[in-house]
Amino acid sequence: MTRKIAVIPVAAALIPLLVAAAPAQDVDTGILQGTQQQPFQTLGARIEARSVGDVARAEGGNAVPALPFASNAELRAATVARHVRELRATNPIAAAEVAREMARHDYDAIFRSFLSDTDLRPDDAGDVLTAFIVLQWMVANDTKTEPSPAALRAVRRQMVAPMADKPPLSQASTRAAFAEQVKLRTVLHHAGWQAAQRLGMVPSFVATLSKDFIPPAKLRAVALTDDGLVGMGGRKAPAARAATGGALPGASIAAVAPAVPGNAPPVAAEPPVEPRHAANWAGVEGVYFRSTTGVGVGGMVVIEFEPLILFRDGSYYEIDDAALEDVDLAAERAAKPRRFGRWIRSGDSYVLTGTGGKPQDYTLQDGSFFKAYPAEAGERTIARSYRRMSGGGNTAMGGDVMIAVSSRYDFRSDGTYGRGGSAGATNSGATSGVSSAMSRRRPPEGGRYGLDRHTLTLTGPDGRSRRLFFAYGSEKDPPQVDREMAFIGGSVFTNPD
């Protein structure tokens, strides 16, 4: 559901439009709204503290009929034309961008790529609608956790089956037109979400969604499990192919203002959930990082660094944000095989072979491969700030769009931290004839933090905690710890002072 194949250019084109009051999705009052809004409002109003499966079964949702439809180039062109025509009435800039991108990219191919690793069928209207509903849940919870096959089947059974005997799904004459609108809406929704993530604007993006979406507040109150969308107080069966450390969506730390003396009394911190995979560390040979290429401000190629965990069994893992003790390595390997590979060592020489089968030679501390360091035993606090600059766009290749994103952590010796940042985007208008610019500051976040070797624990004023991978960089040869460089999650930060 989060594959990025051909949808990346669409997301880049939509980035400058997020500043507008109505996003590209906030249109289309025809079949899509008329047929989805009432069923979604009915179900959305009742997915509070119990499984929507109960709701669906109460409404006769046990059957899962096939809902085939035939797609063709003429119908898809008419779908895009209608969407652009209706969008033009409320947001002409967005309409021009969508028309341009849809002329360059086939939304049907993009949508099919979303389903390529699932059992959902792109020629079944029920499966198409299931994909759209699941994407709505993922966007509302801002998670890239992939749904399991059982979860997709459950959502189709619970949310789609009760609508199957009602128009337009029940009528072959309208089913295809409806399904094409849902496919286009899914592609644009995913592109807008990608753009909002790059700019740190996901809450604003979600707040402007049109009424034919399931209310985001309802989706944040439920977990996507093998039983479908289940209230947080209900059964919590696993639904993800990717590892999430056992945390439910919505259990991540809230974006809250830093604690300030004199404010409301602090909430008692809840003890963090015990790690489920603490034994992972027993198999670790060492923690390292290597240089790689990435995309920076304006789309220029920049040098990035990625942390690596080398295991004694000869495998390695490109760790992401979660602390290693929270990663189900078997599930992670199945979901993201490209993050794993093999390594061998001879003295200071290392050979790493990824899933592509091409070995890469490295020499420790020789420009491309370095040792990473944990916090020292007993080191629980830092008195440093760390900053990261990233971005995107295409101005480096002669395009119109430039994006810059800044993120900063301020760690204090008293065990408190603050986090902030900003994002900006410009569109020169050289292609569309309409220029635009925007800037936005990241909502402040803060609370208390703790260090324990390679684990950084952040605890908000609401008492909720999350664990992130942590490591210091290194310099010189033989290597020495460099505390001016740190990996927080899977991203590298440096001291700006």
Side-chain angles (χ1 to χ4, degrees):
M1 295 301 300
T2 59
R3 293 167 64 92
K4 297 183 179 179
I5 303 175
V7 77
I8 291 177
V10 184
L14 291 179
I15 285 173
L17 308 180
L18 291 174
V19 71
Q25 297 91 334
D26 198 7
V27 292
D28 200 350
T29 56
I31 293 177
L32 189 61
Q33 181 172 340
T35 59
Q36 282 183 251
Q37 185 173 347
Q38 184 58 44
F40 281 6
Q41 287 179 343
T42 299
L43 289 173
R46 297 172 63 185
I47 57 175
E48 300 282 354
R50 64 193 185 104
S51 168
V52 293
D54 298 334
V55 177
R57 284 188 286 273
E59 297 182 7
N62 282 318
V64 188
L67 296 167
F69 71 96
S71 178
N72 56 64
E74 182 179 4
L75 178 57
R76 294 194 293 272
T79 300
V80 172
R82 175 185 177 182
H83 185 87
V84 171
R85 182 175 63 252
E86 295 180 348
L87 180 56
R88 190 176 293 121
T90 58
N91 194 333
I93 298 177
E97 292 287 354
V98 170
R100 183 181 68 170
E101 293 303 319
M102 290 300 101
R104 297 169 55 194
H105 304 285
D106 181 3
Y107 78 82
D108 178 65
I110 296 172
F111 180 83
R112 287 173 179 270
S113 76
F114 293 164
L115 308 188
S116 61
D117 292 332
T118 75
D119 295 330
L120 297 179
R121 298 154 295 182
D123 58 354
D124 183 282
D127 286 0
V128 168
L129 188 51
T130 297
F132 183 50
I133 293 170
V134 171
L135 178 63
Q136 288 184 64
W137 180 87
M138 294 172 70
V139 173
N141 289 278
D142 195 23
T143 177
K144 294 184 179 181
T145 297
E146 294 283 352
S148 69
L152 293 174
R153 290 192 297 270
V155 170
R156 191 187 195 281
R157 181 175 62 250
Q158 298 165 358
M159 300 290 278
V160 177
M163 302 162 57
D165 60 349
K166 304 177 180 65
L169 292 180
S170 63
Q171 301 175 359
S173 58
T174 58
R175 186 184 301 152
F178 169 73
E180 290 300 330
Q181 290 185 61
V182 175
K183 285 162 57 179
L184 177 59
R185 177 67 62 91
T186 302
V187 169
L188 292 177
H189 192 39
H190 186 272
W193 180 34
Q194 279 188 278
Q197 285 180 321
R198 293 185 187 181
L199 293 177
M201 294 175 59
V202 173
S204 299
F205 171 70
V206 172
T208 56
L209 296 178
S210 57
K211 294 181 179 179
D212 57 314
F213 283 68
I214 301 176
K218 304 297 184 185
L219 292 171
R220 286 192 290 267
V222 295
L224 180 57
T225 77
D226 287 348
D227 292 332
L229 295 173
V230 176
M232 291 300 186
R235 181 182 173 189
K236 299 178 179 62
R241 289 198 296 265
T244 59
L248 286 172
S252 59
I253 190 168
V256 293
V260 177
N263 281 356
V267 178
E270 298 177 1
V273 176
E274 287 297 315
R276 299 172 58 191
H277 305 284
N280 287 347
W281 284 109
V284 173
E285 184 277 337
V287 181
Y288 300 82
F289 64 98
R290 65 179 172 184
S291 64
T292 183
T293 56
V295 177
V297 176
M300 63 181 176
V301 177
V302 297
I303 299 299
E304 278 277 16
F305 295 98
E306 59 185 13
L308 299 172
I309 308 293
L310 271 57
F311 293 99
R312 295 192 181 97
D313 65 359
S315 65
Y316 73 80
Y317 169 49
E318 298 171 12
I319 193 165
D320 202 354
D321 287 342
L324 183 63
E325 62 267 29
D326 289 327
V327 178
D328 182 336
L329 290 171
E332 184 82 344
R333 186 186 295 273
K336 302 174 184 177
R338 291 184 178 274
R339 287 192 169 274
F340 291 81
R342 305 292 299 176
W343 69 275
I344 57 175
R345 174 185 176 181
S346 176
D348 284 343
S349 297
Y350 291 76
V351 178
L352 275 61
T353 305
T355 54
K358 182 179 180 180
Q360 292 181 290
D361 296 328
Y362 298 96
T363 299
L364 187 65
Q365 305 300 120
D366 190 24
S368 297
F369 190 73
F370 308 87
K371 184 174 177 60
Y373 284 88
E376 293 182 358
E379 182 183 3
R380 296 291 182 261
T381 61
I382 323 169
R384 282 182 174 81
S385 295
Y386 291 101
R387 183 184 180 188
R388 174 177 172 80
M389 283 293 297
S390 58
N394 55 19
T395 55
M397 298 172 284
D400 305 347
V401 179
M402 180 173 70
I403 309 135
V405 181
S406 172
S407 183
R408 179 176 178 129
Y409 282 93
D410 294 302
F411 296 104
R412 310 178 188 101
S413 58
D414 64 356
T416 64
Y417 81 97
R419 186 183 184 189
S422 61
T426 61
N427 186 338
S428 68
T431 302
S432 65
V434 180
S435 62
S436 60
M438 61 81 64
S439 63
R440 189 176 186 87
R441 301 194 69 82
R442 178 190 179 103
E445 173 188 326
R448 301 196 63 82
Y449 74 96
L451 277 179
D452 185 6
R453 306 289 288 172
H454 279 297
T455 300
L456 171 68
T457 301
L458 303 180
T459 303
D462 60 359
R464 292 189 292 179
S465 297
R466 61 171 174 172
R467 283 184 291 263
L468 299 174
F469 170 76
F470 177 86
Y472 290 120
S474 65
E475 59 182 353
K476 302 182 179 179
D477 186 18
Q480 299 177 16
V481 62
D482 179 8
R483 287 181 170 81
E484 303 302 300
M485 173 184 183
F487 290 91
I488 302 174
S491 300
V492 64
F493 287 72
T494 57
N495 190 329
D497 301 328

